[in-house]
Amino acid sequence: GEQVEQLPSILRVQEGSSASINCSYEDSASNYFPWYKQEPGENPKLIIDIRSNMERKQIQELIVLLDKKAKRFSLHITDTQPGDSAMYFCAASKGSNAKLTFGKGTKLSVKS
Amino acid sequence: NSKVIQTPRYLVKGQGQKAKMRCIPEKGHPVVFWYQQNKNNEFKFLINFQNQEVLQQIDMTEKRFSAECPSNSPCSLEIQSSEAGDSALYLCASSLSIYEQYFGPGTRLTVL
């Protein structure tokens, strides 16, 4: 089945700097790539996603890039704030109403 | 914010006991997913439904897991004979479109 690799597992940045998380997938049929933010004791929250017909998507300080040829996608958080500290998970799916395959997560810490 | 409702939030069972958890998807969302998130934050897809029909499921070879989504009733996930390794956060997600999945707060199962 599909596998999603996510790096780094731990990321520490200074407030105001950028943070980048990278994911790769194996199945070229994957066509949907969401990102979830999960705070301690909370449920994962969908923060941004990208479909295979796009290469770049931005929502405020969040930027997602997709390189289908390399089978890689990435999340970039610009101007990080302490409130961005959380676990971040990338995922991939193929087809409609399909299961998500998640990466193992990145623990982001933003220090003020 | 997700409006998926999951009950109970916490469930404590002894080994060999049944554990049942419920999920009410967001209103109008026809697709429901169940995932298990273990103590290492790893996600495992279990099963998904469109209305009352199973779309995909893992090979529950142990047959200890069962799930259903009856019409006009909450969806449910039941573990027939709980084992210590079943201790995890069980997350229900629902979807309106063919892609985005929104998670409920989860049921944290502890098997003693």
Side-chain angles (χ1 to χ4, degrees), chain B residues 86-102:
Chain B
D86 298 330
S87 295
L89 181 65
Y90 289 84
L91 290 160
C92 175
S94 71
S95 180
L96 172 63
S97 77
I98 60 175
Y99 292 114
E100 295 91 351
Q101 296 181 27
Y102 298 95

Side-chain angles (χ1 to χ4, degrees), chain B residues 20-72:
Chain B
K20 188 168 185 174
M21 53 205 85
R22 293 174 176 81
C23 170
I24 300 175
E26 281 201 42
K27 190 174 182 180
H29 285 198
V31 185
V32 172
F33 299 78
W34 285 99
Y35 295 88
Q36 179 196 65
Q37 187 179 26
N38 67 20
K39 62 180 181 180
N40 295 320
N41 287 318
E42 295 165 335
F43 288 82
K44 179 181 180 181
F45 165 80
L46 298 176
I47 192 167
N48 63 343
F49 294 85
Q50 181 160 4
N51 299 315
Q52 293 81 52
E53 301 296 320
V54 175
L55 292 176
Q56 292 175 284
Q57 62 180 341
I58 63 167
D59 181 18
M60 296 180 181
T61 55
E62 295 177 86
K63 303 299 182 189
R64 295 186 300 109
F65 288 75
S66 62
E68 61 177 3
C69 269
S71 63
N72 300 317

Side-chain angles (χ1 to χ4, degrees), chain A residues 21-74:
Chain A
I21 304 171
N22 300 293
C23 291
S24 62
Y25 59 98
E26 293 186 348
D27 192 337
S28 56
S30 292
N31 61 356
Y32 175 63
F33 308 92
W35 288 86
Y36 287 87
K37 176 183 181 182
Q38 187 175 26
E39 297 182 74
E42 299 286 319
N43 56 330
K45 292 178 173 60
L46 178 63
I47 55 173
I48 192 169
D49 57 11
I50 191 166
R51 301 182 191 181
S52 59
N53 59 352
M54 301 174 71
E55 294 179 348
R56 184 181 190 277
K57 183 174 179 179
Q58 182 167 1
I59 298 176
Q60 297 180 332
E61 78 279 5
L62 303 176
I63 300 170
V64 172
L65 302 176
L66 173 62
D67 182 344
K68 284 183 293 184
K69 202 170 182 179
K71 290 190 274 187
R72 290 183 193 155
F73 57 113
S74 56

Side-chain angles (χ1 to χ4, degrees), chain A residues 58-63 75-81 84:
Chain A
Q58 182 167 1
I59 298 176
Q60 297 180 332
E61 78 279 5
L62 303 176
I63 300 170
L75 173 68
H76 305 272
I77 307 173
T78 61
D79 188 24
T80 53
Q81 301 298 312
D84 294 324

